[in-house]
Amino acid sequence: MKPSSSPLIDTVIRLGLITFMVYLSMKVLHPFINLMLWAMILAIALYPLHAKIAAKVGGGPGRAATILVLTVVVLVGVPTVLLSISFVDHMLDIYRQAIDGTLHIPEPSANVAGWPVVGEQIDATWRAASENLRGFVAEHQASIREHARQAISVLGGAVTTLLAFLAAFIVAGIMLAYAKPGAASTNRIFNRICGPTVGAELHTLTVATVRSVAVGVIGVAFIQSLLLGVGFLLADVPAAGVLALAVLVCGIVQLPAALFVIPVVAWLWMAGDGSTLVNILLTLYLVASGLADNVLKPMLLGRGVAAPMPVILLGALGGMFASGLIGLFVGAVVLAVSYQVFMAWVNESHNVAQEAPPLSD
């Protein structure tokens, strides 16, 4: 007897094999998914800059991508390595001094106690450590060990993240070198899945959304942290660089800069040594810089994107809460594409209703 061939069985077998191959492929690529996503996001966001460099230097997209990657590696990678080595040497030196008994902590300045909220506690702890370091270490040995372990863990995580960013940037440089054929291949994938008309629109929307989030969220947070960092330096605020970095992080996660501006302004008037006129000018500058995102975000977020700005912002925030920093981009793209597909379906039904002939009596 000849075995009978059923179209349904053939289809099920083919779908099963395709699903199995997709599963195996995802299993193999799983360790590199975050790296590839970041590389794609960086390549999309930096393509306009890459195109300008290519137009100026000539030699094709490969040379421009090499210049861009080398510049970032030199500006970010070299200082990171040098700072890490310097930090380790400094910590080892402090450890040797603590073992030898030669470590000395100077007394805090008089204005430390006037810092808002935590000034008195920091002043008391600092003075206790400066007056009797051995006794302070013996009394708080467990706490110091735990805080040191946490600090090293945070530093190691930051360095690892930065090195992973550099690796993603190198991969993004390779993508930028083959940007045109890569864009053509991506466009064919969109067209194959969604059709030639809708596919091209969704491809354009995806690219525009990634660039919009890069400029409207991360770019605005960077500008605001830079403005406030300058204000902190002018006001001679302690740890101005750390506060500016905290403003950058909070800006990315969409927390208001007022969390830092209000305490700094309070410290400026209570513990600062500037004149009344200087304090007024610095207060006005800090308040204006703290509100800058309210002006910049509507201007930059959603620019050139078919989806409304609130949709992009909600997608970025929801994606970040669900998947971390990379979710800023993935969430915004998913919600923008979903919004466009939904509105296309709504408009299609509306057009059909308008074209329908009226019923005769």
Side-chain angles (χ1 to χ4, degrees):
M1 292 178 59
K2 287 186 176 181
S4 61
S5 177
S6 171
L8 178 59
I9 294 177
D10 290 344
T11 302
V12 170
I13 292 174
R14 290 171 183 172
L15 288 176
L17 289 175
I18 292 173
T19 303
F20 184 63
M21 293 302 297
V22 170
Y23 169 77
L24 290 180
S25 300
M26 294 301 296
K27 194 78 173 176
V28 172
L29 292 176
H30 183 265
F32 309 102
I33 287 179
N34 282 340
L35 176 67
M36 298 304 295
L37 281 176
W38 270 118
M40 290 178 62
I41 290 168
L42 289 171
I44 293 172
L46 293 174
Y47 179 76
L49 177 61
H50 170 264
K52 292 180 180 179
I53 295 175
K56 289 185 177 181
V57 302
R63 177 180 296 181
T66 302
I67 293 174
L68 188 59
V69 170
L70 289 178
T71 302
V72 172
V73 169
V74 170
L75 292 178
V76 178
V78 174
T80 300
V81 173
L82 294 178
L83 287 175
S84 300
I85 294 174
S86 175
F87 178 81
V88 172
D89 289 341
H90 186 62
M91 290 296 102
L92 290 176
D93 185 56
I94 292 177
Y95 177 76
R96 283 192 294 266
Q97 291 181 18
I99 294 298
D100 298 338
T102 58
L103 181 63
H104 174 69
I105 297 179
E107 291 187 358
S109 58
N111 63 351
V112 172
W115 291 359
V117 182
V118 296
E120 294 182 359
Q121 183 178 358
I122 292 177
D123 181 78
T125 305
W126 193 341
R127 288 188 183 277
S130 64
E131 292 172 359
N132 184 10
L133 181 59
R134 285 186 178 273
F136 180 84
V137 171
E139 182 179 355
H140 301 85
Q141 185 175 6
S143 177
I144 292 174
R145 185 182 295 112
E146 181 63 24
H147 288 310
R149 187 182 298 111
Q150 292 177 358
I152 292 174
S153 176
V154 170
L155 178 65
V159 173
T160 303
T161 301
L162 197 55
L163 293 177
F165 170 78
L166 289 175
F169 203 93
I170 293 173
V171 177
I174 298 173
M175 292 181 178
L176 287 172
Y178 299 94
K180 290 185 177 180
S185 299
T186 307
N187 194 43
R188 287 197 300 271
I189 294 173
F190 273 87
N191 291 342
R192 180 62 176 170
I193 296 174
C194 308
T197 302
V198 178
E201 293 178 359
L202 294 183
H203 180 245
T204 303
L205 175 65
T206 301
V207 172
T209 302
V210 170
R211 290 176 184 163
S212 173
V213 173
V215 175
V217 175
I218 298 179
V220 169
F222 178 79
I223 293 173
Q224 190 171 36
S225 67
L226 186 63
L227 292 174
L228 287 175
V230 171
F232 295 156
L233 289 175
L234 292 175
D236 199 21
V237 177
V242 176
L243 287 177
L245 181 61
V247 171
L248 174 63
V249 174
C250 290
I252 292 175
V253 301
Q254 300 301 295
L255 292 177
L259 294 174
F260 301 93
V261 172
I262 293 175
V264 168
V265 170
W267 174 88
L268 188 66
W269 287 95
M270 291 189 300
D273 54 359
S275 63
T276 303
L277 178 61
V278 171
N279 287 348
I280 291 174
L281 293 176
L282 286 174
T283 300
L284 292 175
Y285 176 81
L286 290 173
V287 171
S289 300
L291 297 174
D293 59 328
N294 296 314
V295 178
L296 294 173
K297 199 170 293 176
M299 294 172 54
L300 300 176
L301 187 62
R303 186 181 64 176
V305 182
M309 189 270 285
V311 173
I312 305 298
L313 182 59
L314 289 175
L317 290 176
M320 184 196 63
F321 291 140
S323 305
L325 185 57
I326 199 169
L328 277 172
F329 302 92
V330 177
V333 169
V334 169
L335 202 60
V337 170
S338 301
Y339 172 84
Q340 285 297 95
V341 171
F342 175 74
M343 292 307 299
W345 174 72
V346 171
N347 294 332
E348 182 180 358
S349 62
H350 179 69
N351 294 333
V352 170
Q354 285 184 336
E355 294 174 0
L359 296 176
S360 59
D361 296 335

